[in-house]
């Protein structure tokens, strides 16, 4: 408690930070009951895709154990690192009210847990319910170190939708045959882009489209006529994904741990970090139906895995040998399919959308090509134009500090970060169609560990603008410590003169897929002290 009453920091690093000199006399959330979990991060040998290898897991499980709790519960998780790698765990979407020390992103709120060491996370699920997830927040360990968080309403409080016959967790993932820690090091050293995943997975299973995977398939057995709640989570690293079920419609009732007005669709798209609850009724003839996960790739010229992962939605009474009806997925670059789902998202309760704004921010998001300075360019400068690839906001690429920013701020350790992240781009141009990234146009990113300071209580509007310096692309932007209202989005360059915002029932999310070649507008109140990371949830862009 003392750590947080001393001073107030709300930070979005790499791209927003907030401190304040005023003292906070908030009451620590107590929690209704306490849930204890013991996580052991360890290497586990598995065989997949005709290949046996060691992967990093929690408690030997892939995906990892589910954290179950109720709204307002206190959660305590002891994480012991028995792996050879540094690790932290981020509780994605948990607001961490007055518990920013437990948020988990490495070098933002904590230094990593070293091999043989342990760290105990402690937080309260203040007014939170629904589906979120936890994942490693060091290097690319998230590929296998992840699991669901299921938060039920308080006892006696019903769901605001048809009560399902059963609930099932569906985690979408990516799997590499190579060691992901070594793979990340090789990609960063090359200066180029990441190789596609060797397979997509549904709950760790690739399904029959991949080698040696005919029996490596996840399956849900369903009773005809019953309704099922599927808790969808995209835990993938570098690819956004479509999901659909053959011959079945899905009714979306929650996104990012917040109830939505129900709307029905035959496919959804989840970017890395996004969660969604859907209701599915087993109202088709008895049979075996495919559940399919495939890529949404909005960038130009980027290689990606194009083989779908398959699971089964199988009716009781169907023969095990019966052929599965195939699920139809949109084409890999179907931007309209993505927009249609986004258009359907509306908050169930209007909540408290900030109507007046104290701080207007404008952040560009994009990719950059840095000039090659390596003495061995063939090995280290494999990006476009013989340069090295970078990602940036307001043309600044984030550099991890040597110690965590929260520790540096709290202990007044100088030299770890600056407070000069620009609130608007340093240079305006036609963001979507102009300034292709080559050296004469001077769109190389600057580098630095910069933060943006917000005073406690500030009502913030942030415009996130996609840029075409290398290629336009849908970017899933995640803000730690907060959810935010998505009051508007559109294609092209943001124009305040022609834009109309939804201030009545905008969706309340913790990840927003900024449209390819477009923009999104979010609003939130800076009422949670801390140092908070804001980043693209595509890991290669972080």
């Amino acid at each position: 408690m003392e750590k947080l009453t001393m001073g107030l920091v709300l930070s979005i690093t790499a791209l927003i930070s907030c401190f304040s000199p005023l003292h906070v006399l908030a009451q620590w959330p107590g929690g209704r009951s306490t849930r204890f979990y013991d996580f052991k991060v360890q290497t586990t040998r598995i065989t997949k895709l005709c290949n046996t290898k060691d992967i990093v897991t929690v408690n030997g499980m892939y995906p990892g154990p589910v954290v179950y709790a109720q709204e307002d519960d206190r959660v305590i998780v002891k994480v012991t690192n028995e792996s050879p790698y540094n690790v932290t765990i981020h509780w994605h979407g948990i607001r961490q009210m007055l518990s920013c020390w437990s948020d988990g992103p490495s070098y933002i709120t904590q230094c990593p847990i070293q091999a043989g060491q342990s760290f105990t996370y402690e937080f309260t699920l203040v007014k939170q319910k629904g589906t979120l997830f936890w994942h490693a927040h060091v290097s690319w360990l998230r590929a296998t170190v992840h699991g669901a968080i299921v938060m039920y309403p308080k006892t006696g409080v019903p769901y605001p939708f048809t009560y399902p016959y059963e609930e099932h967790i569906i985690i979408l993932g990516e799997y590499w045959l190579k060691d992901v820690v070594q793979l990340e090091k090789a990609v960063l050293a090359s200066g180029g882009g990441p190789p596609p995943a060797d397979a997509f997975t549904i709950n760790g299973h690739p399904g029959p489209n991949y080698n040696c995977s005919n029996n490596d398939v996840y399956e849900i057995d369903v009773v005809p006529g019953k309704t099922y709640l599927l808790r969808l989570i995209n835990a993938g690293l570098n690819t956004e994904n479509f999901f659909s079920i053959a011959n079945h419609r899905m009714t979306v009732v929650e996104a990012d741990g917040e109830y939505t007005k129900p709307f029905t669709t035959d496919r959804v798209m989840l970017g890395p970090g996004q969660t969604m609850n859907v209701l599915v009724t087993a109202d088709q003839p008895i049979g075996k139906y495919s559940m399919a996960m495939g890529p949404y790739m909005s960038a130009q010229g980027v290689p990606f895995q194009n083989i779908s992962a398959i699971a089964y939605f199988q009716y009781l009474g169907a023969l095990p040998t019966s052929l599965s009806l195939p699920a139809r997925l949109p084409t890999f670059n179907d931007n309209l399919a993505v927009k249609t789902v986004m258009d359907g998202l509306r908050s169930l309760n209007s909540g408290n959308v900030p109507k007046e704004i104290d701080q207007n921010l404008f952040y560009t998001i994009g990719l950059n090509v840095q000039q090659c300075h390596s003495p061995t360019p063939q090995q280290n400068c494999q990006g476009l134009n013989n340069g090295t690839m970078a990602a940036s906001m307001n043309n600044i690429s984030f550099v991890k500090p040597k110690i965590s920013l929260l520790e540096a701020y709290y202990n007044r350790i100088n030299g770890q970060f600056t407070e000069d992240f620009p609130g608007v781009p340093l240079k305006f141009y036609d963001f979507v169609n102009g300034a292709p990234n080559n050296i004469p146009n001077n769109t190389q990113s600057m580098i630095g560990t910069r933060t943006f300071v917000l005073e406690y209580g500030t009502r913030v509007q942030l415009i996130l603008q996609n840029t075409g310096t290398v290629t336009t692309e849908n970017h899933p932007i995640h803000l730690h410590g907060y959810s935010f209202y998505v009051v508007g989005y559109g294609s092209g360059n943001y124009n305040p003169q022609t834009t109309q915002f939804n201030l009545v029932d905008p969706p309340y999310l913790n990840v927003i897929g900024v449209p390819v070649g477009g923009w999104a507008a979010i609003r939130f109140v800076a009422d949670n002290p801390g140092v908070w990371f804001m980043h693209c949830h595509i890991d290669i862009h972080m």
Side-chain angles (χ1 to χ4, degrees), residues 104-128:
S106 60
Y107 298 103
I108 307 301
T109 62
Q110 70 176 105
C111 290
I113 308 165
Q114 298 179 41
Q117 301 297 309
S118 64
F119 182 87
T120 299
Y121 296 90
E122 191 170 342
F123 49 88
T124 300
L125 306 175
V126 182
K127 298 180 181 178
Q128 289 198 268

Side-chain angles (χ1 to χ4, degrees), residues 24 29 66 73-74 83 115 128 158 166 187 202 208 258-259 262-263 322 360 368 416 426 432 457 472 477 506 515:
V24 183
V66 181
D73 277 354
R74 195 166 193 74
S83 83
Q128 289 198 268
E166 284 180 353
V187 169
I202 297 175
E258 295 290 336
Y259 294 137
F263 80 96
S322 56
N360 273 291
N368 304 74
Q416 297 300 312
L426 301 179
V432 174
T472 54
I477 301 298

Side-chain angles (χ1 to χ4, degrees), residues 227-497:
T227 296
Y228 293 81
L229 180 69
L230 304 185
R231 297 178 180 269
L232 305 177
I233 297 167
N234 190 340
L237 259 70
N238 292 323
T239 310
E240 299 179 293
N241 293 99
F242 291 109
F243 177 84
S244 70
I245 306 175
N247 292 26
H248 290 74
R249 305 267 286 167
M250 297 174 284
T251 299
V252 179
V253 293
E254 180 198 300
D256 283 1
E258 295 290 336
Y259 294 137
T260 64
K261 291 175 178 168
F263 80 96
T264 302
T265 176
D266 55 7
R267 73 278 198 237
V268 293
M269 194 285 285
L270 289 88
Q274 292 183 305
T275 64
M276 195 174 284
N277 282 6
V278 299
L279 292 173
V280 182
T281 299
D283 56 4
Q284 296 299 304
I286 289 176
K288 181 192 286 188
Y289 297 86
S290 292
M291 297 187 287
M293 165 200 183
Y296 169 52
M297 178 52 69
S298 56
Q300 300 291 317
V302 176
F304 59 92
Q305 174 59 260
N306 63 359
I307 300 174
S308 300
I310 298 295
Y312 294 138
F313 193 76
Q314 181 164 305
Y315 285 61
L316 291 176
L319 294 174
T321 55
S322 56
L323 292 174
S324 62
L325 284 145
R328 295 180 59 190
L329 290 169
T331 56
F332 73 90
N333 58 355
D334 191 339
N335 298 325
L336 182 59
V338 176
K339 182 180 184 300
T340 302
V341 174
M342 189 64 206
D343 287 347
L345 289 181
R346 293 284 185 271
S347 286
L348 181 63
N349 303 307
S350 58
N352 300 305
V353 186
K355 305 295 195 300
E356 303 294 325
I357 297 300
D358 304 310
Q359 179 79 65
N360 273 291
L361 302 173
F362 189 110
Y363 289 178
T364 58
I365 305 161
L367 303 182
N368 304 74
V369 181
Q370 311 292 73
Q371 209 162 11
C372 179
H373 297 294
S374 170
T376 53
Q378 288 187 321
Q379 287 79 34
N380 308 121
C381 301
Q382 296 177 19
L384 296 177
N385 303 327
N386 299 312
T388 60
M389 303 304 294
S392 68
M393 283 189 177
N394 276 354
N395 219 39
I396 297 167
S397 279
F398 182 65
V399 178
K400 283 194 303 187
K402 296 293 189 290
I403 62 172
S404 84
L405 293 178
L406 183 57
E407 182 183 349
Y409 171 76
Y410 179 69
N411 290 320
R412 296 177 173 85
I413 301 172
N414 295 327
Q416 297 300 312
F417 64 91
T418 58
E419 298 180 5
D420 58 349
F421 187 88
V424 296
L426 301 179
K427 180 179 178 182
F428 276 82
Y429 56 94
D430 181 345
F431 295 117
V432 174
N433 306 299
N437 188 177
N438 52 51
I439 302 307
N441 281 343
N442 192 30
T443 55
Q444 292 192 96
S445 64
M446 296 173 284
I447 60 172
T449 310
R450 301 197 189 188
T451 62
F452 190 93
V453 180
L454 290 170
E455 295 293 330
Y456 180 81
T458 301
R459 294 166 295 186
V460 181
Q461 176 173 288
L462 170 56
I463 307 299
L464 296 162
Q465 174 69 58
N466 192 201
T467 65
T469 48
V470 170
T471 175
T472 54
E473 181 176 357
N474 186 296
H475 290 276
I477 301 298
H478 172 48
L479 173 57
H480 290 226
Y482 287 85
S483 290
F484 45 76
Y485 291 100
V486 181
V487 296
Y489 51 89
S491 59
N493 294 298
Y494 171 69
N495 184 342
Q497 268 70 51

